[in-house]
Amino acid sequence: MKILVAPIIILLLLLPEISFGQNKEISKILSQREASNQALRAFDEVLNASFSTEDALITTGAGTLISGKKELIKYIQESIGPRMYWIRTPDEVLVNPKTMLAWETGTWKGYVEGSDEAVVGGKYSAQWTKASGTWLIQSQLFVTLEN
């Protein structure tokens, strides 16, 4: 019985430390997401792309697949119609401390420049990686579901 009690006590002592570590990583991801949202709102495509890996994959709300940072910048800059920005609002972020990968999911809304009323929106998911030492978006999937 004493053999089983010792590992359980050690685990209970480590749980707050593990949880704090994950909360710290989640806070870093949320901070990156907020900075990315601000870059989009300022129409700074280059700054926004800095939150992604070089080979990031993005599937737009309409189903267009974009491969890489350079293509993302080009896609945004060459969009036809009024300038728009997108705000992603996370509902959940989960971190795998062993692989330093994270999952984010939430809602997104698209706004026409100069307006605070969303004209499009839906759900999104993102995969983050900390392979470079900084949390960066490796892939994002957007699905348009509402106006």
Side-chain angles (χ1 to χ4, degrees), residues 38-77:
Q38 291 303 318
L40 283 169
R41 190 172 197 146
F43 298 99
D44 190 337
E45 295 85 14
V46 175
L47 177 58
N48 177 59
S50 73
F51 299 102
S52 297
T53 61
E54 290 296 326
D55 60 348
L57 296 173
I58 298 97
T59 303
T60 69
T64 301
L65 179 62
I66 301 168
S67 181
K69 260 191 219 196
K70 291 178 185 174
E71 289 299 314
L72 173 60
I73 293 169
K74 182 179 172 184
Y75 175 83
I76 292 172
Q77 290 176 341

Short mmCIF file of all heavy atoms in Angstrom, two decimals, residues 38-77:
data_model
loop_
_atom_site.label_atom_id
_atom_site.label_comp_id
_atom_site.label_asym_id
_atom_site.label_seq_id
_atom_site.Cartn_x
_atom_site.Cartn_y
_atom_site.Cartn_z
N GLN A 38 -5.00 42.32 -34.23
CA GLN A 38 -4.71 43.75 -34.32
C GLN A 38 -3.99 44.08 -35.63
O GLN A 38 -4.26 45.11 -36.25
CB GLN A 38 -3.88 44.22 -33.12
CG GLN A 38 -4.65 44.20 -31.81
CD GLN A 38 -5.92 45.04 -31.85
OE1 GLN A 38 -5.94 46.14 -32.38
NE2 GLN A 38 -7.01 44.50 -31.31
N ALA A 39 -3.09 43.20 -36.06
CA ALA A 39 -2.38 43.41 -37.33
C ALA A 39 -3.37 43.38 -38.50
O ALA A 39 -3.28 44.22 -39.40
CB ALA A 39 -1.30 42.35 -37.53
N LEU A 40 -4.30 42.45 -38.47
CA LEU A 40 -5.31 42.39 -39.53
C LEU A 40 -6.19 43.64 -39.52
O LEU A 40 -6.49 44.20 -40.58
CB LEU A 40 -6.18 41.14 -39.39
CG LEU A 40 -5.55 39.84 -39.85
CD1 LEU A 40 -6.38 38.66 -39.41
CD2 LEU A 40 -5.37 39.84 -41.36
N ARG A 41 -6.58 44.06 -38.34
CA ARG A 41 -7.44 45.26 -38.23
C ARG A 41 -6.72 46.50 -38.76
O ARG A 41 -7.35 47.42 -39.30
CB ARG A 41 -7.88 45.46 -36.80
CG ARG A 41 -8.93 46.51 -36.67
CD ARG A 41 -9.53 46.59 -35.29
NE ARG A 41 -10.77 47.34 -35.40
CZ ARG A 41 -11.83 47.12 -34.68
NH1 ARG A 41 -11.84 46.17 -33.79
NH2 ARG A 41 -12.91 47.85 -34.85
N ALA A 42 -5.38 46.53 -38.63
CA ALA A 42 -4.57 47.65 -39.13
C ALA A 42 -4.17 47.46 -40.59
O ALA A 42 -3.43 48.26 -41.14
CB ALA A 42 -3.33 47.80 -38.26
N PHE A 43 -4.64 46.38 -41.21
CA PHE A 43 -4.32 46.04 -42.60
C PHE A 43 -2.81 45.88 -42.80
O PHE A 43 -2.28 46.24 -43.85
CB PHE A 43 -4.93 47.05 -43.58
CG PHE A 43 -6.42 47.08 -43.51
CD1 PHE A 43 -7.08 48.06 -42.78
CD2 PHE A 43 -7.18 46.10 -44.13
CE1 PHE A 43 -8.47 48.06 -42.69
CE2 PHE A 43 -8.57 46.10 -44.06
CZ PHE A 43 -9.21 47.08 -43.32
N ASP A 44 -2.14 45.33 -41.79
CA ASP A 44 -0.70 45.06 -41.87
C ASP A 44 -0.52 43.57 -42.15
O ASP A 44 -0.32 42.77 -41.23
CB ASP A 44 -0.01 45.49 -40.58
CG ASP A 44 1.50 45.47 -40.67
OD1 ASP A 44 2.04 44.74 -41.54
OD2 ASP A 44 2.15 46.17 -39.88
N GLU A 45 -0.61 43.21 -43.43
CA GLU A 45 -0.54 41.80 -43.83
C GLU A 45 0.81 41.17 -43.49
O GLU A 45 0.89 40.00 -43.14
CB GLU A 45 -0.81 41.65 -45.33
CG GLU A 45 -2.21 42.03 -45.76
CD GLU A 45 -2.38 43.52 -46.01
OE1 GLU A 45 -1.36 44.23 -46.12
OE2 GLU A 45 -3.52 43.98 -46.10
N VAL A 46 1.89 41.96 -43.60
CA VAL A 46 3.22 41.43 -43.31
C VAL A 46 3.34 41.09 -41.82
O VAL A 46 3.83 40.02 -41.45
CB VAL A 46 4.32 42.42 -43.76
CG1 VAL A 46 5.70 41.93 -43.35
CG2 VAL A 46 4.26 42.62 -45.28
N LEU A 47 2.90 41.99 -40.96
CA LEU A 47 2.93 41.72 -39.52
C LEU A 47 2.04 40.52 -39.20
O LEU A 47 2.44 39.63 -38.45
CB LEU A 47 2.47 42.94 -38.72
CG LEU A 47 2.40 42.75 -37.20
CD1 LEU A 47 3.76 42.34 -36.63
CD2 LEU A 47 1.90 44.03 -36.54
N ASN A 48 0.85 40.47 -39.79
CA ASN A 48 -0.04 39.33 -39.55
C ASN A 48 0.63 38.02 -39.94
O ASN A 48 0.56 37.03 -39.22
CB ASN A 48 -1.35 39.49 -40.30
CG ASN A 48 -2.24 38.29 -40.13
OD1 ASN A 48 -2.61 37.92 -39.02
ND2 ASN A 48 -2.55 37.63 -41.22
N ALA A 49 1.32 38.00 -41.08
CA ALA A 49 1.99 36.79 -41.55
C ALA A 49 3.12 36.37 -40.62
O ALA A 49 3.48 35.19 -40.56
CB ALA A 49 2.50 36.98 -42.97
N SER A 50 3.66 37.30 -39.85
CA SER A 50 4.78 36.97 -38.94
C SER A 50 4.33 36.03 -37.81
O SER A 50 5.17 35.45 -37.13
CB SER A 50 5.41 38.23 -38.37
OG SER A 50 4.57 38.84 -37.40
N PHE A 51 3.05 35.86 -37.64
CA PHE A 51 2.53 34.96 -36.61
C PHE A 51 2.35 33.53 -37.14
O PHE A 51 1.85 32.67 -36.43
CB PHE A 51 1.22 35.49 -36.04
CG PHE A 51 1.38 36.83 -35.38
CD1 PHE A 51 0.98 37.99 -36.03
CD2 PHE A 51 1.97 36.93 -34.13
CE1 PHE A 51 1.15 39.23 -35.44
CE2 PHE A 51 2.14 38.17 -33.53
CZ PHE A 51 1.73 39.32 -34.19
N SER A 52 2.76 33.29 -38.40
CA SER A 52 2.64 31.98 -39.03
C SER A 52 4.01 31.42 -39.39
O SER A 52 4.96 32.18 -39.60
CB SER A 52 1.81 32.09 -40.32
OG SER A 52 0.51 32.51 -40.04
N THR A 53 4.07 30.10 -39.52
CA THR A 53 5.29 29.47 -40.01
C THR A 53 5.42 29.77 -41.51
O THR A 53 4.44 30.13 -42.16
CB THR A 53 5.25 27.93 -39.80
OG1 THR A 53 4.15 27.40 -40.53
CG2 THR A 53 5.14 27.56 -38.33
N GLU A 54 6.61 29.63 -42.05
CA GLU A 54 6.83 29.90 -43.48
C GLU A 54 5.93 29.06 -44.37
O GLU A 54 5.46 29.52 -45.40
CB GLU A 54 8.30 29.66 -43.86
CG GLU A 54 9.27 30.68 -43.29
CD GLU A 54 9.04 32.09 -43.80
OE1 GLU A 54 8.66 32.27 -44.98
OE2 GLU A 54 9.25 33.03 -43.01
N ASP A 55 5.68 27.82 -43.94
CA ASP A 55 4.90 26.88 -44.76
C ASP A 55 3.47 26.69 -44.27
O ASP A 55 2.83 25.69 -44.56
CB ASP A 55 5.61 25.53 -44.81
CG ASP A 55 5.78 24.89 -43.43
OD1 ASP A 55 5.56 25.59 -42.40
OD2 ASP A 55 6.16 23.71 -43.37
N ALA A 56 2.95 27.68 -43.55
CA ALA A 56 1.59 27.57 -43.00
C ALA A 56 0.56 27.29 -44.08
O ALA A 56 0.69 27.76 -45.21
CB ALA A 56 1.23 28.86 -42.26
N LEU A 57 -0.43 26.51 -43.72
CA LEU A 57 -1.56 26.21 -44.61
C LEU A 57 -2.80 26.89 -44.06
O LEU A 57 -3.10 26.77 -42.87
CB LEU A 57 -1.80 24.71 -44.70
CG LEU A 57 -0.67 23.89 -45.31
CD1 LEU A 57 -0.98 22.41 -45.19
CD2 LEU A 57 -0.46 24.28 -46.76
N ILE A 58 -3.51 27.60 -44.93
CA ILE A 58 -4.74 28.27 -44.53
C ILE A 58 -5.84 27.90 -45.50
O ILE A 58 -5.66 28.00 -46.72
CB ILE A 58 -4.57 29.81 -44.53
CG1 ILE A 58 -3.50 30.25 -43.52
CG2 ILE A 58 -5.89 30.51 -44.20
CD1 ILE A 58 -2.17 30.47 -44.11
N THR A 59 -6.96 27.45 -44.98
CA THR A 59 -8.14 27.22 -45.81
C THR A 59 -9.12 28.33 -45.46
O THR A 59 -9.55 28.46 -44.31
CB THR A 59 -8.77 25.84 -45.53
OG1 THR A 59 -7.78 24.83 -45.75
CG2 THR A 59 -9.95 25.60 -46.46
N THR A 60 -9.44 29.16 -46.46
CA THR A 60 -10.33 30.29 -46.23
C THR A 60 -11.76 29.82 -45.99
O THR A 60 -12.10 28.67 -46.24
CB THR A 60 -10.32 31.26 -47.43
OG1 THR A 60 -10.96 30.61 -48.55
CG2 THR A 60 -8.90 31.68 -47.81
N GLY A 61 -12.59 30.75 -45.54
CA GLY A 61 -14.00 30.45 -45.29
C GLY A 61 -14.75 29.97 -46.51
O GLY A 61 -15.75 29.28 -46.40
N ALA A 62 -14.24 30.33 -47.69
CA ALA A 62 -14.86 29.89 -48.94
C ALA A 62 -14.22 28.63 -49.50
O ALA A 62 -14.62 28.15 -50.56
CB ALA A 62 -14.77 31.01 -49.99
N GLY A 63 -13.22 28.09 -48.81
CA GLY A 63 -12.60 26.84 -49.22
C GLY A 63 -11.32 26.96 -50.03
O GLY A 63 -10.78 25.95 -50.47
N THR A 64 -10.80 28.15 -50.23
CA THR A 64 -9.54 28.33 -50.96
C THR A 64 -8.38 27.92 -50.06
O THR A 64 -8.29 28.35 -48.91
CB THR A 64 -9.36 29.81 -51.38
OG1 THR A 64 -10.45 30.18 -52.20
CG2 THR A 64 -8.05 30.02 -52.12
N LEU A 65 -7.48 27.08 -50.59
CA LEU A 65 -6.31 26.64 -49.83
C LEU A 65 -5.13 27.55 -50.17
O LEU A 65 -4.78 27.73 -51.34
CB LEU A 65 -5.95 25.19 -50.15
CG LEU A 65 -4.72 24.64 -49.43
CD1 LEU A 65 -4.89 24.66 -47.92
CD2 LEU A 65 -4.40 23.24 -49.91
N ILE A 66 -4.52 28.12 -49.14
CA ILE A 66 -3.36 29.00 -49.30
C ILE A 66 -2.19 28.30 -48.64
O ILE A 66 -2.27 27.87 -47.49
CB ILE A 66 -3.62 30.37 -48.64
CG1 ILE A 66 -4.85 31.02 -49.26
CG2 ILE A 66 -2.39 31.26 -48.77
CD1 ILE A 66 -5.36 32.22 -48.49
N SER A 67 -1.08 28.21 -49.38
CA SER A 67 0.10 27.51 -48.89
C SER A 67 1.26 28.47 -48.71
O SER A 67 1.84 28.95 -49.68
CB SER A 67 0.49 26.39 -49.87
OG SER A 67 1.61 25.69 -49.39
N GLY A 68 1.59 28.78 -47.46
CA GLY A 68 2.75 29.60 -47.15
C GLY A 68 2.43 31.06 -46.89
O GLY A 68 1.41 31.59 -47.34
N LYS A 69 3.33 31.69 -46.14
CA LYS A 69 3.19 33.09 -45.76
C LYS A 69 3.09 34.03 -46.96
O LYS A 69 2.26 34.93 -46.99
CB LYS A 69 4.43 33.52 -44.99
CG LYS A 69 4.33 33.56 -43.54
CD LYS A 69 5.58 34.26 -43.03
CE LYS A 69 6.04 33.59 -41.78
NZ LYS A 69 6.99 34.39 -41.03
N LYS A 70 3.96 33.83 -47.92
CA LYS A 70 3.99 34.73 -49.08
C LYS A 70 2.67 34.68 -49.84
O LYS A 70 2.15 35.70 -50.27
CB LYS A 70 5.16 34.37 -50.01
CG LYS A 70 6.50 34.68 -49.40
CD LYS A 70 7.64 34.29 -50.32
CE LYS A 70 8.96 34.52 -49.61
NZ LYS A 70 10.09 34.03 -50.38
N GLU A 71 2.13 33.48 -49.99
CA GLU A 71 0.84 33.35 -50.69
C GLU A 71 -0.30 33.97 -49.88
O GLU A 71 -1.24 34.52 -50.45
CB GLU A 71 0.55 31.89 -51.00
CG GLU A 71 1.44 31.31 -52.08
CD GLU A 71 1.29 32.04 -53.41
OE1 GLU A 71 0.15 32.29 -53.84
OE2 GLU A 71 2.33 32.36 -54.02
N LEU A 72 -0.21 33.90 -48.56
CA LEU A 72 -1.23 34.51 -47.70
C LEU A 72 -1.22 36.03 -47.90
O LEU A 72 -2.29 36.64 -48.09
CB LEU A 72 -0.99 34.18 -46.23
CG LEU A 72 -1.89 34.89 -45.22
CD1 LEU A 72 -3.35 34.55 -45.46
CD2 LEU A 72 -1.47 34.54 -43.80
N ILE A 73 -0.04 36.63 -47.87
CA ILE A 73 0.06 38.08 -48.08
C ILE A 73 -0.49 38.45 -49.45
O ILE A 73 -1.28 39.39 -49.58
CB ILE A 73 1.53 38.54 -47.92
CG1 ILE A 73 1.99 38.36 -46.47
CG2 ILE A 73 1.69 39.99 -48.37
CD1 ILE A 73 3.47 38.54 -46.27
N LYS A 74 -0.09 37.69 -50.46
CA LYS A 74 -0.56 37.95 -51.84
C LYS A 74 -2.08 37.84 -51.92
O LYS A 74 -2.75 38.68 -52.52
CB LYS A 74 0.12 36.96 -52.79
CG LYS A 74 -0.24 37.15 -54.24
CD LYS A 74 0.52 36.11 -55.08
CE LYS A 74 0.04 36.13 -56.51
NZ LYS A 74 0.69 35.09 -57.31
N TYR A 75 -2.64 36.79 -51.32
CA TYR A 75 -4.09 36.57 -51.35
C TYR A 75 -4.84 37.76 -50.75
O TYR A 75 -5.81 38.26 -51.32
CB TYR A 75 -4.43 35.28 -50.59
CG TYR A 75 -5.91 35.02 -50.46
CD1 TYR A 75 -6.62 34.41 -51.49
CD2 TYR A 75 -6.61 35.39 -49.31
CE1 TYR A 75 -7.99 34.17 -51.38
CE2 TYR A 75 -7.97 35.15 -49.20
CZ TYR A 75 -8.65 34.54 -50.23
OH TYR A 75 -10.00 34.31 -50.12
N ILE A 76 -4.37 38.25 -49.60
CA ILE A 76 -5.04 39.37 -48.94
C ILE A 76 -4.89 40.64 -49.76
O ILE A 76 -5.86 41.37 -49.97
CB ILE A 76 -4.49 39.56 -47.50
CG1 ILE A 76 -4.90 38.37 -46.61
CG2 ILE A 76 -5.02 40.87 -46.90
CD1 ILE A 76 -4.27 38.36 -45.24
N GLN A 77 -3.69 40.90 -50.24
CA GLN A 77 -3.44 42.13 -51.00
C GLN A 77 -4.17 42.16 -52.34
O GLN A 77 -4.52 43.23 -52.82
CB GLN A 77 -1.94 42.34 -51.21
CG GLN A 77 -1.21 42.68 -49.93
CD GLN A 77 0.29 42.80 -50.10
OE1 GLN A 77 0.86 42.30 -51.07
NE2 GLN A 77 0.92 43.45 -49.16
#
